Amino acid sequence: MPEPGPPYRPGRRVLRGWGRTAPTAADVVLPADEARVAELLADPPPGTGVVPRGLGRSYGDAAQCAGGTVVDLAQLDWVGGIDEATGEVEVGAGASLQRLLEHALPRGWFLPVTPGTRLVTVGGAVAADVHGKNHHRDGSFARHVTALTLATPNGVRHLVPGRRGRGAAKAEDDALFWATAGGMGLTGVVTRATVRLLPVETDRMLVDTDRYDDLGAVMAAMESGDDGYRYSVAWVDCTATGRHTGRAVLTRGDHARREDLPARRREGLPRAPGTSRLRIPRPGPRHLLNPLTVAAFNELWFRHAPRHRVAEVLPLAGFFHPLDGVADWNLLYGERGFLQYQFVVADGDVVARAIDQLAANRVPSFLAVLKRFGPGTPGPLSFPTPGWTLALDVPMGPPALGALLDRIDEMVAEAGGRVYLAKDARLRPDLVRTMYPRLDELQHVRRRVDPAGVLRSDLSRRLGLDLDRKEP
Amino acid sequence: MLDAFGQPQSLVVLGGTSDIARAVVHALAPKRLATVVLAGRNEERLAEAAAGAKAAGVDHVPTVAFDAGQVDRAAAVVDECFAAAGGDVDVVVLAVGVLSRRELELDPERTAEVVTTGFAWPAAALTAVAARMKAQGHGRIVVLSSVAGVRVRRANFVYGATKAGLDGFAVGLGEALRGTGVAVQVVRPGFVRTRMTAGMSEAPMATTAEAVAEAVVAGLASGAPVIWVPGTLRWAFAVFRLLPPSVWRRLPG
């Protein structure tokens, strides 16, 4: 089966993020192997800088570098053999989670962490340190990466975070590993990773669903009950107002075991979901998604959900990646694109206030995702921290929408929270230091592996994360 | 870099002392703006506009003096502005042009002056801006045109002709820049109450510099290739363009 999405033709190209909001042009290169990636970083082409790109699913400008070079890793998409004893598998950074799953699931293994789409690369999953519905139990993606190969301007490093050892070299390697996990490609280009998979017996999920009429009820249920499930996520209607503000549908579950399935389904190997055949051919009309249509959709969806249902057997794709059923679904938002806005904050009241403001301002947000995070990783730029995370999709709107999100950002930052850089396209630059107080650790590592300041992206430039560029 | 709302961090304004230009800077200042390069003819007025931009919260406001009569210097002026910005420029606003009140006298020298300032210099400068932005791989060029150029009328036909030329040039430049990461947006205001139009009789649907600035901010977010101010003029001119000359001649304003 062909790899979904890009590769792009090499050459100067206009690139956008998944939200399609801020296109810029860069020279795209498609290295054939790891050695070419290493050469490219050791001897970078002239221009703004260099940044890696996978399947382009970052919503904002993280995988763009205007006037520079974008390294498309599409050709590094190999998947190695699975170690049946440990579940470890080595993969090329350009391999998609879809491809890894096609390889792993028939052999009884599942992804340790999966974001809302299978169409991200392993390299991208490390660079954004992605999380899934099991974060409260299993942490983020980098927790399950046992080795990385990273090409930097100062040479290629093999990083093994769990390896025993002492001394300055070991400490430096650990610092580099964790700066890379969530580091948005600013520490180098991941070329391969070893991932520890999760053993599963079937390709089905066993899911409990509950509907709650307001935010307080669903948050209370998550706090008291999430620990009983590997996976938990709530879909919140941010368009409902009054006493229904924050009404939600909570779905929680775990992988079905063989005996959970009806007898006729128990035989045969688990199968990975295929790629979508449905495709949106071109950007939708303006205002297709407006406060009325979005609220109507949310209403239907909420009413359709059962008040309480237990142990429903569902296919993997429907549970984890409902939107992968339609290729290029982002085009539904039309030519102007959309924003995905996600923050995490320890205090649940801040989430409630944010939802209040979104509803009061009639922001046409499709079902927002609410989830509890467990402990984070040591990565200074890794997004997840313990608390509540809320993620929502909003069609691009007038500058007043930007001002509203700025106000929510301030509230989140003040409460010690942060926004997710893999999704950001509009954060006010001065807030990034408040949200990521350990930014200096990242910069310290970058100065060591990239003294000339080659690695940079539109995101890093927009947020003022760059080191001074030294001309060779 | 521009954010998702098209709000710039660095801005160059060619014709930075005009009322509209100053209003645009003030509207963008509280958002993401950190650097504004103001280029204009009169150094005293430049200093005044720069002080205003700083007071509005912009950190870095260098100024560049130029004479729009010197077409052969246009590219050098653009280079100077980009150098003063100290890095990539997210948005260039071009607000250069002069009205002429004695057009009916049909003075060849004055006509040449108006055409040079209102069309020749801007076209040369925009060409230089386009080359720089194309190399950057990103940027927006906002060109202040006028409805006076959409259908030129007798009362200000020399000025109207420069705007017609500039408008066509800008639209064509935008087409030429497709696929480069650079976009051109043309702003077509109606009658704007400013220093430039003081004492003139107002046309219907007159607007203010602040309203034009607000429309520019919204236009940067929407990416619309043409921005009419007020928006109703789009529909008015859809009709005006088709009127027979005998009717068009008699319309007020």
Side-chain angles (χ1 to χ4, degrees):
Chain A
M1 183 183 304
E3 188 73 14
Y8 300 105
R9 293 187 313 279
R12 188 85 154 183
R13 280 189 56 103
V14 174
L15 299 173
R16 300 167 184 254
W18 191 242
R20 298 175 53 81
T21 46
T24 65
D27 295 317
V28 178
V29 293
L30 272 156
D33 53 38
E34 289 182 281
R36 301 275 165 83
V37 178
E39 280 167 26
L40 188 78
L41 284 163
D43 185 17
T48 310
V50 176
V51 78
R53 183 176 177 100
L55 285 167
R57 290 293 172 125
S58 281
Y59 287 81
D61 46 8
Q64 297 170 208
C65 184
T69 303
V70 171
V71 187
D72 185 327
L73 294 168
Q75 303 204 53
L76 271 61
D77 63 347
W78 52 272
V79 176
I82 300 172
D83 181 329
E84 290 296 333
T86 62
E88 286 182 323
V89 58
E90 196 173 24
V91 288
S96 67
L97 295 187
Q98 165 79 25
R99 176 171 278 232
L100 179 54
L101 199 59
E102 282 167 10
H103 184 73
L105 203 51
R107 295 169 175 82
W109 298 95
F110 190 66
L111 305 166
V113 165
T114 176
T117 171
R118 301 183 296 276
L119 303 176
V120 298
T121 61
V122 169
V126 172
D129 195 11
V130 299
H131 55 271
K133 299 179 182 191
N134 56 342
H135 190 278
H136 63 287
R137 276 255 293 247
D138 301 328
S140 53
F141 194 82
R143 278 270 178 232
H144 308 272
V145 172
T146 56
L148 272 188
T149 302
L150 183 74
T152 77
N154 260 7
V156 175
R157 307 290 180 90
H158 303 282
L159 306 169
V160 182
R163 194 183 60 195
R164 267 180 249 153
R166 280 199 207 158
K170 163 72 183 154
E172 279 194 356
D173 277 3
D174 276 359
L176 180 54
F177 179 92
W178 288 114
T180 302
M184 303 310 297
L186 300 174
T187 60
V189 178
V190 175
T191 55
R192 65 169 70 197
T194 305
V195 181
R196 196 189 299 115
L197 300 168
L198 178 76
V200 293
E201 291 181 17
T202 74
D203 56 13
R204 303 275 138 168
M205 302 300 297
L206 212 54
V207 180
D208 294 352
T209 305
D210 291 279
R211 200 171 79 184
Y212 298 91
D213 289 327
D214 66 78
L215 189 69
V218 70
M219 289 176 97
M222 291 169 87
E223 266 178 332
S224 61
D226 267 8
D227 292 344
Y229 299 86
R230 181 182 289 276
Y231 301 102
S232 165
V233 73
W235 300 80
V236 181
D237 180 0
C238 286
T239 55
T241 52
R243 65 194 169 84
H244 291 307
T245 303
R247 64 182 178 177
V249 177
L250 177 60
T251 55
R252 297 187 284 196
D254 208 331
H255 295 278
R257 289 162 303 171
R258 215 164 272 123
E259 66 255 34
D260 296 325
L261 301 185
R264 66 193 160 80
R265 281 265 179 78
R266 286 182 201 164
E267 299 310 313
L269 294 169
R271 282 214 324 251
T275 46
S276 56
R277 263 168 287 171
L278 271 179
R279 181 166 279 276
I280 307 291
R282 63 181 67 85
R286 279 178 76 180
H287 309 306
L288 174 67
L289 304 182
N290 60 55
L292 282 177
T293 56
V294 170
F297 173 86
N298 287 359
E299 179 76 34
L300 280 175
W301 183 88
F302 184 80
R303 284 174 185 270
H304 179 70
R307 170 75 49 196
H308 176 69
R309 182 164 61 196
V310 293
E312 185 186 9
V313 177
L314 287 178
L316 281 173
F319 184 73
F320 286 108
H321 316 117
L323 287 171
D324 282 352
V326 183
D328 300 328
W329 59 263
N330 58 338
L331 295 182
L332 281 178
Y333 283 90
E335 200 52 70
R336 288 182 64 187
F338 70 106
L339 298 172
Q340 165 129 156
Y341 180 62
Q342 181 170 4
F343 65 82
V344 59
V345 67
D347 181 357
D349 283 350
V350 175
V351 175
R353 273 154 58 202
I355 291 176
D356 266 348
Q357 291 213 22
L358 293 163
N361 285 281
R362 298 197 67 209
V363 172
S365 158
F366 262 113
L367 304 163
V369 174
L370 178 69
K371 146 126 218 91
R372 276 172 68 246
F373 276 162
T377 65
L381 220 59
S382 174
F383 168 65
T385 51
W388 297 93
T389 184
L390 183 74
L392 44 114
D393 287 348
V394 193
M396 253 313 288
L401 172 63
L404 171 66
L405 296 178
D406 282 355
R407 290 198 296 277
I408 298 177
D409 283 343
E410 283 170 17
M411 191 167 81
V412 166
E414 202 171 303
R418 51 180 51 171
V419 300
Y420 191 5
L421 296 185
K423 299 188 169 177
D424 179 57
R426 36 123 329 253
L427 179 63
R428 215 175 68 206
D430 59 291
L431 286 176
V432 87
R433 279 169 195 285
T434 319
M435 293 180 167
Y436 290 91
R438 291 168 54 217
L439 206 53
D440 287 345
E441 290 175 42
L442 171 81
Q443 305 302 42
H444 181 74
V445 168
R446 288 173 77 197
R447 246 174 246 119
R448 187 154 50 77
V449 297
D450 180 21
V454 169
L455 292 157
R456 51 176 56 193
S457 62
D458 287 359
L459 174 103
S460 73
R461 293 169 77 193
R462 178 170 55 80
L463 295 179
L465 301 181
D466 285 322
L467 309 167
D468 289 336
R469 179 77 196 262
K470 297 192 185 81
E471 295 303 332
Chain B
M1 302 300 298
L2 292 176
D3 69 3
F5 289 92
Q7 304 307 308
Q9 295 178 316
S10 60
L11 172 71
V12 166
V13 190
L14 301 171
T17 62
S18 78
D19 290 351
I20 290 176
R22 290 164 76 154
V24 168
V25 170
H26 281 257
L28 290 172
K31 303 191 183 300
R32 302 291 188 260
L33 208 51
T35 301
V36 178
V37 181
L38 298 175
R41 184 163 45 96
N42 182 322
E43 299 204 28
E44 211 173 292
R45 292 185 54 80
L46 273 175
E48 199 184 299
K54 280 187 185 148
V58 185
D59 293 337
H60 185 51
V61 192
T63 60
V64 172
F66 74 94
D67 176 359
Q70 297 177 308
V71 178
D72 56 346
R73 289 265 310 137
V77 170
V78 168
D79 284 347
E80 210 180 319
C81 290
F82 273 67
D88 282 9
V89 174
D90 298 333
V91 173
V92 170
V93 173
L94 180 126
V96 179
V98 281
L99 278 178
S100 172
R101 310 217 178 147
R102 291 179 300 152
E103 282 154 3
L104 293 180
E105 293 174 16
L106 299 175
D107 171 355
E109 279 178 30
R110 180 61 189 153
T111 298
E113 258 177 58
V114 171
V115 171
T116 303
T117 306
F119 180 60
W121 193 92
L126 289 177
T127 307
V129 167
R132 304 228 25 161
M133 284 194 158
K134 206 175 152 187
Q136 287 182 175
H138 72 109
R140 296 275 184 95
I141 304 172
V142 177
V143 179
L144 264 301
S145 175
S146 165
V147 295
V150 176
R151 183 161 186 186
V152 179
R153 48 194 300 149
R154 174 183 161 171
N156 57 4
F157 73 92
V158 181
Y159 171 77
T162 65
K163 288 301 187 191
L166 181 61
D167 195 298
F169 181 87
V171 170
L173 185 65
E175 289 298 315
L177 288 171
R178 280 177 73 90
T180 63
V182 184
V184 178
Q185 297 184 277
V186 176
V187 186
R188 291 182 192 150
F191 186 95
V192 187
R193 295 180 202 109
T194 62
R195 199 160 34 87
M196 187 173 86
T197 60
M200 294 170 62
S201 59
E202 277 189 18
M205 293 190 258
T207 186
T208 62
E210 288 68 33
V212 175
E214 209 172 293
V216 167
V217 174
L220 285 168
S222 77
V226 179
I227 302 160
W228 300 80
V229 198
T232 44
L233 282 174
R234 173 196 300 270
W235 312 113
F237 270 84
V239 175
F240 289 169
R241 272 196 257 229
L242 303 174
L243 293 178
S246 55
V247 179
W248 175 240
R249 193 177 292 137
R250 282 192 216 114
L251 284 187

